[in-house]
Amino acid sequence: MKTLHKPLQITVYQDVLCSWCYLADLRLDVLRQEFGEAVRWSVRPYPLRLHDVLPTEREVRGLVEEVKRAQRESEPTAALLSTDLWLGGDPPRSSVPALAALEAARLQGPQARAFLARAMQRAALEQGVNVSRSDVVFELASRVGLSMNQFSAAFRSEETRRLIHDEHRLANSRGVRGVPTLVIGGRWMLCGLRELTEYREHILACLGKVTLPRSGSAERLVH
């Protein structure tokens, strides 16, 4: 789909360690192809584990249950999701290093970030690899073909870590409380994983192609 008008801005808040974000990405990839230049996508970090501390047993149980729920979604890849990331003996202490890696990759272009994000998601959520570890980060960055000197400098920079914390505070001030969260055209905020058709309908509504029915708690207006 092409347009002569200003592209619709969609901001996607996500955490690379989140199964729901992985599934949302797969659905949104379909829409990226469908809408083409009519939509401009911005992916922003929102760490669910902001602080550097091991998850408690209670937290682990909750994280494992989230994965099991995600496994029941309709995508064939949902069945590949694994609880090993949280039960394998080396659970991530924080999401910040993994998200900092994606911000470092972004400096080499949006595709570089996207390639690393998908590699990290598969390693963490399908294979149970702790992608918050620096050795894992560098191995995956090298595997997807990043320029390692540039990547290393950005990944190790304290400024990159501060950016993640600043993004978290800014997102909170805008009403984001979890991931995946989409802000569509500065008008609609969709929280949690949604069906592909629902994402499409909201995008079309913001493009002026359809009129959405009134609903209860399905979405929130952005004020």
Side-chain angles (χ1 to χ4, degrees):
M1 181 183 294
K2 292 186 178 180
T3 180
L4 298 177
H5 302 290
K6 184 178 179 180
L8 175 68
Q9 179 70 41
I10 299 180
T11 302
V12 184
Y13 292 95
Q14 62 177 216
D15 187 328
V16 73
L17 302 181
C18 173
S19 299
W20 302 113
C21 290
Y22 185 23
L23 297 176
D25 255 356
L26 297 175
R27 296 177 185 180
L28 296 176
D29 278 347
V30 175
L31 300 177
R32 289 184 180 100
Q33 295 295 321
E34 283 185 19
F35 288 100
E37 296 177 2
V39 174
R40 181 174 297 158
W41 301 84
S42 174
V43 182
R44 304 311 305 152
Y46 187 87
L48 294 178
R49 298 196 60 77
L50 186 62
H51 303 292
D52 185 18
V53 59
L54 279 172
T56 65
E57 290 185 9
R58 181 178 179 180
E59 287 174 324
V60 167
R61 287 195 299 270
L63 291 162
V64 168
E65 181 57 32
E66 288 289 310
V67 174
K68 290 180 178 178
R69 287 174 53 209
Q71 288 171 337
R72 298 194 286 269
E73 289 294 319
S74 58
E75 283 82 2
T77 50
L80 300 177
L81 292 171
S82 169
T83 59
D84 289 350
L85 179 65
W86 306 109
L87 297 177
D90 183 27
R93 297 172 61 92
S94 170
S95 305
V96 173
L99 292 172
L102 297 183
E103 292 307 302
R106 189 193 302 276
L107 298 177
Q108 299 183 40
Q111 278 220 311
R113 185 215 170 274
F115 288 151
L116 182 58
R118 189 54 53 87
M120 295 179 80
Q121 286 173 323
R122 286 174 172 160
L125 302 171
E126 295 179 8
Q127 301 165 24
V129 176
N130 181 357
V131 296
S132 69
R133 287 173 35 184
S134 295
D135 58 333
V136 175
V137 164
F138 283 112
E139 180 182 344
L140 293 175
S142 176
R143 193 181 298 174
V144 300
L146 297 186
S147 172
M148 293 307 294
N149 286 341
Q150 181 184 358
F151 174 79
S152 178
F155 173 66
R156 296 183 187 281
S157 170
E158 284 301 316
E159 183 178 345
T160 305
R161 300 300 198 280
R162 284 197 297 271
L163 182 149
I164 304 297
H165 287 267
D166 289 346
E167 286 278 359
H168 188 269
R169 284 191 291 270
L170 180 60
N172 280 343
S173 73
R174 293 174 173 171
V176 177
R177 295 294 180 266
V179 291
T181 293
L182 269 66
V183 177
I184 304 176
R187 176 183 174 189
W188 294 106
M189 179 180 288
L190 299 182
C191 309
L193 180 68
R194 304 302 180 92
E195 294 296 332
L196 176 63
T197 54
E198 187 173 354
Y199 288 133
R200 183 185 289 115
E201 286 174 358
H202 277 82
I203 293 172
L204 287 171
C206 285
L207 289 171
K209 306 295 185 182
V210 300
T211 301
L212 285 175
R214 300 291 295 179
S215 59
S217 59
E219 65 279 317
R220 286 188 286 145
L221 283 169
V222 177
H223 297 292

